[in-house]
Amino acid sequence: MVAAMLTRALSSRERVQDTLSEHRNEIVSLFSRYVAQGKKILHPHHLLDGLAEIIGENDELHKLRDGPFGDVLRSTQEAIILPPWVVLAVRPRPGVWDYVRVNVDELAVEQLSVAEYLEFKEHLVNGSIKDNYVLELDLEPFNASFPRPTRPSSIGSGVQFLNRHLSSRLFHDKESMQPLLDFLRAHNYRGQKLMLNERIQSLPRLRSALVKAEEHLNKFPLNTLYTKFEHKLQEMGLEKGWGDNAEHVLDMIHLLLEILQAPDPSTLETFLGRIPMVFNVVILSPHGYFGQANVLGMPDTGGQVVYILDQVRALENEMLLRIKQQGLDIMPEIIVVTRLIPEAYGTTCNQRIEKISGTQYSRILRVPFRTEKGILRNWVSRFDVWPYLERFSEDVSNEITAELKGQADLIIGNYSDGNLVASLIAHKQGITQCNIAHALEKTKYPDSDLYWKNFEEKYHFSCQFTADLIAMNHADFIITSTYQEIAGSKGTVGQYESHTAFTLPGLYRVVHGIDVFDPKFNIVSPGADMQIYFPYTEKQHRLTALHRSIEELLFSPEQTAEHICVLNDRKKPIIFSMARLDRVKNMTGLVEWFAKNKRLRELVNLVVVAGDIDPSKSKDREEVAEIEKMHALIKEYNLNGQFRWICAQKNRVRNGELYRYLCDTRGAFVQPALYEAFGLTVLEAMTCGLPTFATCNGGPAEIIVDGVSGFHIDPYHGDHASECIADFFERCKTDTGYWDKISNAGLQRIYERYTWKIYSERLMTLAGVYGFWKYVSKLERRETRRYLEMFYTSKLKLCH
């Protein structure tokens, strides 16, 4: 029997070198084709198209495509062409990168460092000019000693990894449990001791107290209230916070005894999640019109507002439940901080305080942008907020301290601006910080880092990318809605991953910006508000009183400022889409797909809800361009009669019933974005039972199981996407149960994975675990944060 041999995996350089030896003519021909295109960036489809042309119909060369070299080329995310060089950025798996350059004239293959690769890339912008004094940002040395997983499948499961690490660390020796004791003894709420008092000074004393408490509590029925044995537990050294009755207190005591005996990850997570730690939460969302009514569809105002309001309601409910079960009489507070806009255009955005409906203890606090000339009165684009944020953060810090009569326990940033402000406040006050990006702009705009100067006047990406780097490295933990948001997929780069290494030529070069394997990353998916979005089959809850206004919206023959074009055949199913009217949301792309597909136009009507219809009413540059494009498409393809364009609708309750009304027509929802970080409208549609087609780029690809609970469509291949939609409706005509099958599978998917209850439970547990991790490891990351201070002062202050 021949013994199995372990072999080392070949590097990308070795694979290219070996292929060059075996297929010299073909590789020279391929790389010569690339070089002949001159100085530029080639993207994956360019590279693979070139390989396909070389192979042609030659069966002998198929092994070139299917072998190691084909693997390298399929893993290449971009190639820099600088004749005679072809430089490949190879990503063999998510989060792992390799850089190789080939000299086509000399047939030499070399490995490159990150910095060397980025320098090559800068030549596309700078030409032959070499800057020997480029600022290089490298955060890797600060994180080298921190534990982290190594397998791509572990990305986004940071808390599970951290619990394994912590449980093994706690079991290291007799003294390793001391930080846990210190952590419990440090707990208090505004001077009131929680968990342990001064009677417990050592681990043996803690074990003894827990055993005695267990013996004492076993004498009581499980539903005995805490007040019946409170004083006895205090004498033993146990203060409030363990539970509201004998059952809950015993559960906590058993968990801690198990941890002291032999900690395991699951027990540790459960225990830490139940410790009373979070009573006051601050959530930051500066840009746009943040309000509860009449704001959706206004510039920079969409899914993030809906997300946060739903998040607050779910989070408050979870906090109230936990505080009750902990046996505490504390009223939690959640403050959503946004910008006060004096010129509020019929919204409440000019009100300083606004109670959040559906909550008891949550409110919106609005703080204005200030300059030396006074308060900024009008809305400004999210791309233009950077000069105001430092002063805004100082004002917010003072305001929330006054509102809460102290500091928050947890601060949550949203989007680039909110995450930066959260970082500045957390840095100043020492608060545990959570970041939620929603959407990082870098992946939305191809090559926006390399050619940042071309985007700067309109988008100010130099400020935004700098703010993103600072915030993601400053945060204690980061939650994302999907894996793709962090590390992409096999063939696409994740939003966070795109910040691993990049260059802004002439400004700075990032050789190590963020590590997607960092255990701070956690996937926590939101849900839809099930009070508003519920299945169309729940007839007893249907809002039939709204049907008349919905029918007016869909079918009225009048052309108004709210809707234009008519639907001649009301019996047809309706395909529907609703989003902001910007380039990335791709609403005009969907209209063009529909316009060009004769079969689809015969099968269904199209209705879109997006933006303003009159370009003069919009202040957003990108929206104006999309409005004008929409009007041009209507005219060019004679869409009137099969298409309805409705301006942005701000009534969420009616929007929920609109989804259900469209289910009654046996229609479908289409989300055609070029990229979508998550896709709340996808959740809303599926929760109502509407079969859904959504972009394969981003979060919807994880929400939907293709062909089972909905369908993936490629927004860059609109002709194929429109055929996919047409095929669905053709099949529904011949298979009467098919529509119901997809609808029901979509609902099942939502109930299993995407609810706010699951979300809020997970977020509170994360706050507990990361609060403990920060404490026991002294994770103030002082060195990192001093480095980030320097970076902020030297670069981001230039945006002010």
Side-chain angles (χ1 to χ4, degrees):
M1 183 176 177
V2 179
M5 294 182 64
L6 293 174
T7 58
R8 179 179 63 85
L10 295 177
S11 69
S12 298
R13 184 197 66 77
E14 290 167 327
R15 292 184 182 195
V16 174
Q17 186 72 63
D18 290 352
T19 307
L20 191 56
S21 301
E22 189 175 346
H23 298 281
R24 193 179 186 86
N25 285 334
E26 291 77 19
I27 297 300
V28 168
S29 177
L30 175 63
F31 279 75
S32 295
R33 283 174 182 247
Y34 295 155
V35 168
Q37 298 181 53
K39 189 170 74 168
K40 66 186 302 185
I41 295 179
L42 295 182
H43 294 291
H45 62 279
H46 299 131
L47 299 172
L48 295 174
D49 287 349
L51 179 61
E53 289 170 8
I54 291 294
I55 293 172
E57 296 182 3
N58 188 336
D59 292 338
E60 287 295 315
L61 294 179
H62 282 182
K63 60 183 179 181
L64 182 63
R65 179 194 63 201
D66 300 331
F69 178 76
D71 291 340
V72 169
L73 217 55
R74 280 186 292 274
S75 300
T76 300
Q77 296 301 312
E78 63 182 21
I80 308 303
I81 310 302
L82 285 173
W85 298 101
V86 175
V87 190
L88 307 177
V90 186
R91 179 178 172 266
R93 55 190 183 279
V96 178
W97 291 80
D98 213 0
Y99 303 98
V100 177
R101 71 176 179 182
V102 180
N103 185 316
V104 179
D105 290 348
E106 300 177 5
L107 300 184
V109 185
E110 301 173 57
Q111 193 88 20
L112 294 182
S113 68
V114 178
E116 289 170 333
Y117 172 75
L118 293 176
E119 184 180 345
F120 246 91
K121 198 170 181 179
E122 288 160 7
H123 282 300
L124 293 174
V125 177
N126 298 335
S128 58
I129 301 171
K130 183 173 181 178
D131 187 349
N132 293 317
Y133 299 99
V134 176
L135 172 62
E136 280 193 357
L137 189 69
D138 185 359
L139 285 146
E140 187 174 29
F142 301 105
N143 301 315
S145 61
F146 288 15
R148 63 199 57 232
T150 56
R151 296 169 57 235
S153 60
S154 297
I155 293 171
S157 301
V159 76
Q160 286 93 325
F161 174 83
L162 204 52
N163 285 328
R164 288 194 297 272
H165 171 76
L166 286 170
S167 58
S168 64
R169 177 172 168 171
L170 289 173
F171 199 51
H172 188 261
D173 54 49
K174 290 182 179 180
E175 298 304 315
S176 60
M177 289 288 183
Q178 187 64 37
L180 178 58
L181 172 61
D182 295 339
F183 182 68
L184 293 173
R185 294 184 69 240
H187 266 64
N188 72 86
Y189 176 73
R190 295 182 178 175
Q192 177 189 351
K193 271 285 184 183
L194 301 176
M195 302 304 289
L196 301 179
N197 60 36
E198 65 281 353
R199 286 185 170 88
I200 296 180
Q201 299 287 337
S202 66
L203 286 166
R205 184 75 183 86
L206 174 61
R207 289 189 184 93
S208 174
L210 292 173
V211 171
K212 289 178 181 178
E214 180 185 27
E215 290 173 354
H216 182 70
L217 290 173
N218 282 332
K219 301 172 185 177
F220 295 93
L222 291 177
N223 61 355
T224 304
L225 295 179
Y226 177 79
T227 52
K228 297 294 183 181
F229 47 80
E230 177 179 0
H231 296 301
K232 186 66 176 178
L233 262 59
Q234 278 184 322
E235 291 173 6
M236 297 176 185
L238 305 185
E239 291 288 342
K240 287 183 177 180
W242 293 86
D244 60 336
N245 60 29
E247 180 180 13
H248 290 146
V249 175
L250 279 169
D251 283 347
M252 283 289 280
I253 287 173
H254 293 157
L255 287 169
L256 185 52
L257 284 171
E258 285 180 34
I259 291 168
L260 293 173
Q261 177 177 282
D264 71 84
S266 177
T267 304
L268 183 64
E269 179 177 312
T270 303
F271 180 74
L272 293 175
R274 293 184 186 177
I275 295 175
M277 276 194 265
V278 178
F279 306 108
N280 299 318
V281 178
V282 170
I283 299 173
L284 284 149
S285 180
H287 73 263
Y289 289 83
F290 195 104
Q292 299 179 82
N294 303 319
V295 298
L296 296 182
M298 297 188 79
D300 289 338
T301 309
Q304 183 171 313
V305 172
V306 175
Y307 178 109
I308 292 171
L309 291 173
D310 289 347
Q311 173 197 49
V312 166
R313 295 183 184 102
L315 193 55
E316 184 186 275
N317 288 336
E318 184 63 23
M319 290 170 72
L320 285 167
L321 177 63
R322 291 190 181 213
I323 289 170
K324 178 185 177 300
Q325 291 178 344
Q326 289 156 356
L328 300 174
D329 184 21
I330 295 172
M331 299 300 104
E333 291 188 79
I334 302 177
I335 299 178
V336 177
V337 181
T338 188
R339 184 193 157 205
L340 186 144
I341 308 174
E343 300 296 337
Y345 296 98
T347 72
T348 56
C349 295
N350 56 359
Q351 296 179 15
R352 180 177 176 272
I353 296 284
E354 181 182 352
K355 185 180 184 298
I356 296 177
S357 64
T359 70
Q360 299 179 62
Y361 308 106
S362 302
R363 59 196 181 276
I364 299 168
L365 169 66
R366 297 188 179 91
V367 179
F369 283 173
R370 298 178 190 272
T371 68
E372 293 177 356
K373 297 178 181 179
I375 290 173
L376 194 67
R377 299 193 60 81
N378 293 299
W379 166 85
V380 293
S381 165
R382 70 186 189 277
F383 298 117
D384 299 327
V385 299
W386 307 108
Y388 311 105
L389 293 184
E390 183 173 298
R391 183 161 183 176
F392 178 74
S393 70
E394 293 171 0
D395 291 343
V396 168
S397 180
N398 295 330
E399 292 263 10
I400 60 176
T401 301
E403 285 288 320
L404 296 172
K405 299 178 178 59
Q407 293 185 351
D409 303 304
L410 175 66
I411 189 164
I412 303 174
N414 291 273
Y415 189 68
S416 302
D417 53 351
N419 287 330
L420 178 66
V421 175
S423 299
L424 295 173
I425 295 172
H427 183 70
K428 180 180 180 181
Q429 297 191 3
I431 307 168
T432 299
Q433 177 190 349
C434 168
N435 280 7
I436 306 173
H438 296 282
L440 293 166
E441 300 291 344
K442 191 167 174 294
T443 46
K444 289 185 181 180
Y445 298 84
D447 304 324
S448 53
D449 49 0
L450 184 64
Y451 297 108
W452 66 274
K453 291 180 181 178
N454 299 342
F455 294 88
E456 193 65 3
E457 184 178 351
K458 185 175 181 180
Y459 295 113
H460 308 294
F461 282 150
S462 66
C463 299
Q464 185 149 10
F465 299 166
T466 303
D468 287 332
L469 269 178
I470 290 170
M472 63 182 69
N473 279 285
H474 193 278
D476 294 298
F477 66 102
I478 295 170
I479 63 175
T480 70
S481 298
T482 64
Y483 181 96
Q484 291 198 35
E485 198 176 330
I486 308 169
S489 61
K490 185 178 180 180
T492 60
V493 178
Q495 290 187 59
Y496 279 97
E497 188 183 7
S498 73
H499 294 75
T500 302
F502 65 94
T503 180
L504 302 178
L507 195 61
Y508 59 83
R509 181 188 297 159
V510 180
V511 297
H512 193 283
I514 192 69
D515 184 355
V516 296
F517 290 94
D518 195 310
K520 69 170 61 180
F521 285 107
N522 291 274
I523 300 166
V524 186
S525 301
D529 184 344
M530 291 188 177
Q531 297 297 311
I532 294 175
Y533 306 101
F534 54 84
Y536 76 103
T537 52
E538 294 184 7
K539 301 295 185 184
Q540 71 277 20
H541 296 131
R542 291 287 299 271
L543 303 174
T544 53
L546 297 175
H547 284 195
R548 184 173 178 179
S549 66
I550 288 172
E551 288 171 358
E552 175 81 12
L553 199 64
L554 293 173
F555 302 117
S556 169
E558 292 182 31
Q559 309 290 290
T560 69
E562 189 177 21
H563 46 71
I564 63 170
C565 299
V566 297
L567 303 178
N568 290 336
D569 187 352
R570 290 182 55 164
K571 294 179 181 179
K572 281 185 182 180
I574 291 173
I575 57 172
F576 174 66
S577 193
M578 179 162 55
R580 290 196 314 273
L581 196 52
D582 63 31
R583 186 188 70 84
V584 175
K585 293 298 184 183
N586 197 33
M587 297 295 275
T588 54
L590 170 61
V591 174
E592 190 167 3
W593 305 346
F594 176 78
K596 291 180 175 180
N597 192 314
K598 183 179 178 182
R599 182 166 69 110
L600 187 59
R601 290 177 68 168
E602 290 174 352
L603 286 165
V604 297
N605 291 317
L606 172 63
V607 174
V608 299
V609 173
D612 280 309
I613 293 171
D614 182 352
S616 67
K617 291 184 177 180
S618 175
K619 303 186 190 75
D620 188 282
R621 296 164 293 214
E622 201 170 278
E623 184 181 52
V624 169
E626 292 296 300
I627 292 170
E628 291 171 348
K629 183 178 178 181
M630 189 80 84
H631 283 289
L633 289 168
I634 293 169
K635 184 176 180 180
E636 180 181 355
Y637 292 100
N638 192 26
L639 291 174
N640 194 9
Q642 299 170 312
F643 170 66
R644 180 78 150 186
W645 179 12
I646 303 169
C647 72
Q649 296 297 298
K650 300 168 186 176
N651 186 332
R652 290 182 72 208
V653 172
R654 188 170 73 168
N655 287 346
E657 190 59 30
L658 175 57
Y659 282 122
R660 289 184 288 274
Y661 187 94
L662 295 168
C663 288
D664 296 336
T665 77
R666 313 295 273 182
F669 182 77
V670 182
Q671 206 277 25
L674 300 179
Y675 183 87
E676 183 63 52
F678 181 59
L680 274 176
T681 54
V682 171
L683 286 191
E684 292 168 359
M686 292 172 68
T687 304
C688 292
L690 198 56
T692 299
F693 296 78
T695 179
C696 61
N697 298 325
E702 291 180 39
I703 297 172
I704 292 171
V705 179
D706 188 34
V708 177
S709 54
F711 303 90
H712 297 163
I713 52 174
D714 185 345
Y716 291 100
H717 293 89
D719 52 347
H720 184 267
S722 64
E723 285 297 320
C724 177
I725 300 168
D727 288 344
F728 170 77
F729 284 102
E730 287 276 18
R731 181 167 175 180
C732 288
K733 290 175 74 174
T734 58
D735 181 351
T736 54
Y738 188 58
W739 190 96
D740 289 321
K741 179 181 176 182
I742 299 298
S743 171
N744 292 334
L747 282 165
Q748 184 63 33
R749 180 73 172 167
I750 294 298
Y751 295 147
E752 289 173 354
R753 297 280 296 274
Y754 301 99
T755 71
W756 281 111
K757 175 65 175 169
I758 297 170
Y759 175 100
S760 58
E761 289 173 350
R762 200 72 194 132
L763 179 56
M764 288 296 290
T765 298
L766 291 176
V769 173
Y770 283 94
F772 177 61
W773 169 240
K774 184 174 183 175
Y775 181 88
V776 300
S777 60
K778 308 303 180 190
L779 232 187
E780 295 301 333
R781 298 196 182 192
R782 185 179 176 193
E783 297 87 352
T784 306
R785 287 172 181 176
R786 294 293 287 175
Y787 190 70
L788 293 173
E789 274 181 29
M790 177 277 298
F791 187 50
Y792 172 82
T793 304
S794 65
K795 291 302 176 185
L796 200 54
K797 269 185 173 289
L798 298 177
C799 299
H800 298 159

